[in-house]
């Protein structure tokens, strides 16, 4: 079966432009059409950051698209093909059966004080909430029940595939992407006799939801993967595992923990 229509998203590196040129010609030889608007395969060329951009460009069509990442720098978590393996990549695309690999996404509902209905976003890596100048104060609810009052720099909520990104830098656990759950990690929480939070990351199941209710303030910064929303009237943000998932084409079943070791530890 040929999937037909392929969109290619690349970063600005010269190696990515060279790889794109070669890939386009290999795909056309194999009877694929390059279609940047209505593809059923999206190939990103660059790093994990480029892959995040490709995901968000097509996040409204997730049910019809399979993604694939080519890396032109170091091995990534979403980019598992190298730029010198493009012939193999194209022949894999043509010969292989539909890939069944898919991973969880985060569903965010952002409620602004001046709007009735919350606005919906999807995150592939994570969302963070930070306050720019003063201590962020936020009530954390799990399944609508108050869990803790957080004071500190901010909070990060990540997917399993995002657990190796920002989440890891703030002390979150690395989660295998086959686990259908999401994670809340603190960013420099204030903990003393007066203020108390759990002080450790928590993993939340796919049947639960988390709501972070923010104290009224004009200087919050909310990030969703590569994007930043600077908004002064966010009332609360709720999180759950999304109904949609990201599907991969010709995914390489590299042992997840080997990938983690390659990225962060190297040779022992
Ligand atoms: P960036 O600051 O240009 O790159 C941040 C780094 O995070 C890059 O090395 C990127 O890999 C890597 N990365 C992205 N997703 C990853 C994942 N799932 N697992 C492991 N590493 C990952 O930012 P960007 O390119 O716009 O990407 C945005 C993402 O960067 C955010 O979602 C956030 O997770 C991450 N980030 C992390 C920190 C931190 O750890 N302190 C700070 C800012 C942003 P590539 O080089 O392959 O692109």
């Amino acid at each position: 079966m040929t999937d037909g229509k392929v969109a290619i998203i690349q970063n600005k590196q010269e190696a990515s432009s060279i790889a794109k040129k070669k890939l386009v010609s290999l795909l056309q030889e194999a009877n694929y059409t390059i279609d940047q608007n209505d593809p059923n395969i999206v190939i990103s060329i660059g790093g994990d950051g480029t892959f995040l951009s490709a995901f968000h460009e097509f996040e409204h069509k997730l049910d019809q698209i399979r993604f694939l990442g080519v890396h032109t720098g170091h091995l990534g978590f979403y980019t598992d093909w190298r730029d010198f393996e493009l012939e193999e990549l194209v022949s894999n695309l043509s010969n292989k059966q539909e890939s069944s690999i898919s991973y969880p996404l985060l569903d965010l509902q952002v409620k602004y004080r001046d709007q009735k209905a919350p606005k919906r976003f999807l995150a592939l890596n994570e969302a963070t909430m930070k306050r720019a100048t003063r201590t962020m104060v936020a009530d954390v609810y799990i399944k609508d029940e108050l869990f803790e009052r957080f004071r500190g720099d901010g909070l990060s909520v990540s997917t399993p595939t995002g657990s190796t990104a920002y989440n890891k830098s703030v002390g979150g656990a690395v989660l295998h992407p086959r686990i259908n759950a999401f994670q809340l990690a603190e960013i420099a929480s204030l903990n003393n006799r007066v203020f108390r939070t759990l002080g450790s990351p928590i993993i939340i199941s796919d049947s639960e939801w988390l709501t972070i209710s923010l104290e009224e303030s004009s200087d919050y910064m909310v990030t969703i993967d590569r994007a930043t929303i600077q908004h002064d009237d966010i009332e609360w943000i709720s999180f759950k595992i999304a109904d949609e998932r990201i599907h991969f084409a010709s995914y390489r079943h590299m042992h997840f923990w080997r990938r983690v070791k390659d990225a962060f530890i190297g040779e022992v």
Side-chain angles (χ1 to χ4, degrees):
M1 183 190 103
T2 319
D3 276 284
K5 297 180 289 178
V6 182
I8 301 174
I9 307 295
Q10 62 169 110
N11 65 11
K12 291 191 179 119
Q13 282 175 14
E14 201 192 342
S16 301
S17 301
I18 296 169
K20 181 185 174 180
K21 211 170 159 193
K22 186 169 178 194
L23 184 60
V24 167
S25 115
L26 288 168
L27 285 166
Q28 285 170 338
E29 273 169 36
N31 291 326
Y32 287 93
T33 316
I34 304 301
D35 186 335
Q36 293 296 118
N37 297 315
D38 188 28
N40 39 31
I41 294 178
V42 171
I43 302 181
S44 86
I45 306 178
D48 282 331
T50 319
F51 190 94
L52 288 170
S53 298
F55 167 78
H56 284 288
E57 193 164 332
F58 293 99
E59 64 174 89
H60 55 293
K61 292 181 175 179
L62 290 181
D63 54 341
Q64 71 178 56
I65 289 177
R66 292 184 298 142
F67 290 84
L68 191 155
V70 175
H71 62 89
T72 47
H74 53 90
L75 177 71
F77 281 85
Y78 299 113
T79 55
D80 42 13
W81 288 88
R82 286 158 202 254
D83 50 358
F84 53 81
E85 298 171 314
L86 299 176
E87 283 90 354
E88 194 188 335
L89 184 160
V90 174
S91 92
N92 247 41
L93 266 186
S94 310
N95 297 335
K96 283 216 165 167
Q97 297 266 310
E98 186 88 1
S99 164
S100 61
I101 287 289
S102 71
Y103 288 141
L105 300 167
L106 202 54
D107 177 313
L108 281 89
Q109 304 278 338
V110 180
K111 167 73 173 63
Y112 298 97
R113 288 182 203 278
D114 59 356
Q115 282 166 24
K116 270 193 184 152
K119 205 170 164 198
R120 184 171 183 260
F121 297 89
L122 282 179
L124 176 56
N125 265 355
E126 81 286 292
T128 68
M129 289 122 285
K130 296 173 196 157
R131 195 169 172 195
T133 52
R134 300 188 55 204
T135 301
M136 183 176 104
V137 182
D139 286 336
V140 176
Y141 293 81
I142 300 175
K143 284 178 89 175
D144 298 334
E145 200 173 297
L146 183 61
F147 180 72
E148 64 183 11
R149 170 160 285 189
F150 174 88
R151 287 181 180 82
D153 282 5
L155 290 163
S156 159
V157 184
S158 66
T159 63
T161 52
S163 69
T164 45
Y166 185 76
N167 167 73
K168 186 176 175 299
S169 300
V170 295
V174 172
L175 219 62
H176 195 292
R178 274 203 302 267
I179 299 172
N180 209 28
F182 63 104
Q183 176 170 187
L184 172 72
E186 300 179 349
I187 309 167
S189 60
L190 261 167
N191 264 302
N192 52 36
R193 279 166 177 257
V194 186
F195 304 133
R196 185 134 313 281
T197 61
L198 185 67
S200 71
I202 56 175
I203 316 281
I204 295 158
S205 83
D206 58 353
S207 62
E208 298 175 314
W209 63 96
L210 180 84
T211 308
I212 295 173
S213 172
L214 296 162
E215 190 186 53
E216 202 163 350
S217 154
S218 60
D219 55 356
Y220 289 118
M221 195 174 78
V222 175
T223 67
I224 298 172
D225 296 337
R226 292 190 120 177
T228 303
I229 318 172
Q230 190 111 32
H231 221 287
D232 54 6
D233 61 358
I234 293 174
E235 189 178 347
W236 52 258
I237 307 178
S238 76
F239 303 87
K240 66 180 174 78
I241 289 291
D243 294 335
E244 304 94 323
R245 292 169 70 87
I246 180 168
H247 294 266
F248 290 89
S250 296
Y251 194 77
R252 284 190 160 168
H253 296 265
M254 181 176 179
H255 191 316
F256 175 71
W257 296 114
R258 190 175 307 139
R259 195 182 292 232
V260 171
K261 180 178 174 241
D262 269 10
F264 298 110
I265 298 171
E267 283 309 312
V268 180

